[in-house]
Amino acid sequence: MGFMYFLFIIGVKMDLSVIKFSRRKHRMITLAGVIVPLVAGTIVANIMSPSMDKVLSKPSSIGRVISAMAVTGYAVIYPILQELNLLSSEMGANGPGYRDNNRRNRDNLFDHSWGSKTNRCYCRYNCKAMIWILGKNSRGEAYRASLYRAHFARGFDGPPIGSTIVERSETFIMNFFVPFSYVYIGMSMDLFAMTSVSWSSLAPLFTVAVSGIVFKLLATLVTALLVKIPFRDALTLTLILNLRGQQEFILLMHWLEKSVIDIPSFTMLVLLVTSVTAVSTPLIRFLYDPTRPYKVNTNRTIQYTPPHEELKVVACVYNQDSVASLINLFEFSSPSQRNLSVYALCLIELNGRAAPLLIDHEKETSTFNYSGYDSTYHALRTYMETKRDVMEIHSFTAVVPKQTMYQDICKLAMIKEANLIILPFHMEWMDSAKMTEIDHQRTPSVFSNVLDHAPCSVGILFHRVHLLNPLCDKFFYSSPRHVLVLFLGGADAREALFYADRILMNPNVSLTVIRFLSYHHCREYEREKKIDNGVITSFRERNGRNKRVVCRDVVMKNGEETLATIQAFGNDVHFDLWILGRQKGINPFLLEGLSSDWCDHLELGVIGDYITSMDFDGTTSVLVVQQQTLRG
């Protein structure tokens, strides 16, 4: 029963529509991975049939064994890819296309093995039970579904029914029913019985099963290489398509109950299935790095993008507050000429379906039944329409697991050759003395992973949003706008300064740059200081006659003085936006006495964490910038 519910919940998540997007090479790999082991396994089985017992040597029994080894189990592969955080990777995204192409073969096998009226009725009553559990939707209406089309391996795809089923039942099924199913499998095994029989009685079945696995491995690998997939990726794909698990356990239990195999044979096959997955899973993790496509050795930074060239920005959107944060920043960044291109990526946590989605709204119009999606998307679209004349804005939506959101962010930045990724960091303004974070347990993993693997520079945008109406913010009515750059030195600080220099294209912006220097030039990095001097000198020369620009140098003796100086700027002058570098290249003397141990959010760096904390009296928005790290 546990495995039945397991297959049902995986079927609920299955999205069969991805099949139509499969390419020719996907179909070739799929067909080769099924047909070759079926044919080769049949030949081997016919050779070994004289030494098999009467029940196992029947064509129907041989066909079951060969089919089980040849067909790829979607219900097995999906949880492993999810555990390895590969669902949003190139391998995981392509995977459903490969696996779902086997649906007809797999379903025929299931129907053949579980085709009794009792089991079909049982599966149908599973669906009835699920709908009864769901109760009513938000409008007070009962959920309706076509039970006659329900199947324990094919369920409801996506929200609202699919996501509700998953939300309300997955934890109980996976943590209660499934463990007991594994216990039942273990109790049905008998190692002593397997070792007590002669090897000659087990060898024919073992040979047939292993031949199916081996021929599937070879067929998949060779075909993948023939369609020009790199060897490392081809081997990874081959191992993925040969994973075994719950689906095979169900079939083995069925064979045991129908006396197709005996206890020693059952035990041997369970050990074989377990061994294949136990060996393949760590090899997959070793062979395939999902972040490898984002490792580039080309400068995609603001610093190395000439001012007259278009700046490409990937702006991430979680909810309406994210839209408000980004709109504020774009209001600062709106130039008089059109040289800013924004790729707005709405991020939705994957729930109730298995296949991640990345939608380009200019190419297709897809509707989603996810909570809060419509209001967020429409707020973004409304702003886009008002800014068509000064910036180019494209909208995307990614429906992905929380653990792999960073992969879709980096993937879009890679494809669009972006110079900057902006991640909103939200704080809600509760009252004049209290701030509450609302990162929905998403911030640490997404932020840290994007910072570690981004193929371009990254900006973390902190903005205090008013609870009543986040879009009616004082920043929209302040003119001119005042921007402060804290230049503490290093690559990140230089990237922040170059972004601020682009903001100056907006005639309504005034800019103050504060350069922090260490007392007696203590502990300075000579190479970094030389580059910093060149950048600051060039900036001052370009803006020497610009009355909207102020540059100052301040000398610090330790980290305490640094924080005190920053606090003084927050108290004395109101700045609408603060821009600073995250941490790379900062003179440690300027942070002396400050420890990252007391930082609440290391993603912002020591200074960024202080500015955005409740202890800081300023009420500004803050952009913390990290320059691209070249990887190749």
Side-chain angles (χ1 to χ4, degrees), residues 73-128:
Y74 176 85
V76 175
I77 295 176
Y78 167 73
I80 297 177
L81 289 179
Q82 186 180 39
E83 182 181 345
L84 296 177
N85 290 332
L86 294 180
L87 287 180
S88 294
S89 66
E90 290 184 345
M91 197 64 63
N94 291 337
Y98 301 134
R99 295 191 294 274
D100 279 352
N101 278 340
N102 292 334
R103 179 180 68 86
R104 179 168 298 176
N105 293 329
R106 183 177 61 251
D107 291 343
N108 288 340
L109 176 63
F110 277 141
D111 291 336
H112 176 70
S113 301
W114 296 85
S116 67
K117 293 182 179 178
T118 303
N119 279 304
R120 285 192 239 193
C121 291
Y122 179 71
C123 295
R124 188 169 296 170
Y125 280 112
N126 281 349
C127 299
K128 288 185 177 181

Side-chain angles (χ1 to χ4, degrees), residues 318-346:
Y318 305 140
N319 48 33
Q320 276 190 297
D321 293 339
S322 301
V323 177
S325 303
L326 293 170
I327 287 177
N328 271 305
L329 183 65
F330 295 152
E331 286 299 303
F332 284 100
S333 309
S334 298
S336 55
Q337 54 184 345
R338 188 169 180 172
N339 66 346
L340 179 64
S341 183
V342 177
Y343 301 93
L345 178 62
C346 294

Side-chain angles (χ1 to χ4, degrees), residues 264-415:
S265 299
F266 172 81
T267 304
M268 179 192 67
L269 291 177
V270 169
L271 292 176
L272 177 62
V273 167
T274 305
S275 300
V276 169
T277 299
V279 173
S280 299
T281 303
L283 285 177
I284 293 169
R285 191 187 297 271
F286 172 76
L287 289 170
Y288 188 74
D289 178 9
T291 66
R292 189 178 66 215
Y294 322 132
K295 296 178 180 179
V296 296
N297 54 10
T298 304
N299 279 309
R300 294 183 177 178
T301 64
I302 306 170
Q303 179 177 352
Y304 293 101
T305 303
H308 62 276
E309 288 190 8
E310 184 180 53
L311 184 68
K312 299 179 180 180
V313 177
V314 171
C316 299
V317 179
Y318 305 140
N319 48 33
Q320 276 190 297
D321 293 339
S322 301
V323 177
S325 303
L326 293 170
I327 287 177
N328 271 305
L329 183 65
F330 295 152
E331 286 299 303
F332 284 100
S333 309
S334 298
S336 55
Q337 54 184 345
R338 188 169 180 172
N339 66 346
L340 179 64
S341 183
V342 177
Y343 301 93
L345 178 62
C346 294
L347 295 167
I348 301 174
E349 184 176 350
L350 183 68
N351 189 15
R353 60 183 297 133
L357 294 176
L358 181 59
I359 304 298
D360 183 348
H361 290 288
E362 293 183 358
K363 296 181 179 179
E364 55 183 294
T365 56
S366 299
T367 57
F368 300 99
N369 293 310
Y370 290 91
S371 176
Y373 171 79
D374 288 340
S375 58
T376 300
Y377 181 68
H378 284 101
L380 182 64
R381 292 285 299 181
T382 300
Y383 180 73
M384 288 166 55
E385 294 300 326
T386 65
K387 288 295 180 180
R388 291 292 185 186
D389 56 333
V390 294
M391 69 175 70
E392 187 177 351
I393 303 181
H394 310 272
S395 60
F396 299 81
T397 295
V399 185
V400 290
K402 182 169 59 178
Q403 298 87 346
T404 59
M405 279 184 178
Y406 77 96
Q407 294 180 10
D408 287 79
I409 297 171
C410 294
K411 184 188 303 180
L412 183 61
M414 186 73 180
I415 294 172

Side-chain angles (χ1 to χ4, degrees), residues 18-32:
V18 299
I19 298 175
K20 63 183 179 182
F21 299 111
S22 60
R23 291 180 289 177
R24 182 171 175 267
K25 66 178 181 179
H26 300 164
R27 294 191 291 270
M28 290 177 62
I29 295 173
T30 300
L31 291 174

Side-chain angles (χ1 to χ4, degrees), residues 130-245:
M130 286 293 181
I131 294 175
W132 178 79
I133 290 172
L134 295 182
K136 297 182 178 181
N137 59 23
S138 59
R139 297 187 298 273
E141 301 171 352
Y143 286 108
R144 298 185 179 274
S146 177
L147 300 181
Y148 294 99
R149 298 180 60 188
H151 191 289
F152 70 93
R154 303 194 300 270
F156 310 100
D157 171 42
I161 294 181
S163 58
T164 308
I165 289 175
V166 172
E167 180 183 352
R168 300 190 184 184
S169 61
E170 184 176 31
T171 300
F172 185 73
I173 291 172
M174 297 301 185
N175 295 332
F176 183 77
F177 279 126
V178 173
F180 279 109
S181 300
Y182 286 121
V183 171
Y184 186 71
I185 293 291
M187 292 175 62
S188 301
M189 295 173 61
D190 191 341
L191 294 175
F192 294 104
M194 187 185 73
T195 56
S196 63
V197 300
S198 62
W199 173 246
S200 60
S201 63
L202 297 176
L205 179 59
F206 180 80
T207 303
V208 173
V210 170
S211 65
I213 295 173
V214 171
F215 281 112
K216 186 174 180 67
L217 283 167
L218 294 175
T220 306
L221 179 60
V222 172
T223 309
L225 293 175
L226 289 176
V227 296
K228 298 182 180 180
I229 295 179
F231 177 78
R232 197 180 184 98
D233 291 348
L235 183 56
T236 304
L237 177 60
T238 300
L239 293 172
I240 289 175
L241 294 180
N242 278 275
L243 292 169
R244 307 289 164 182

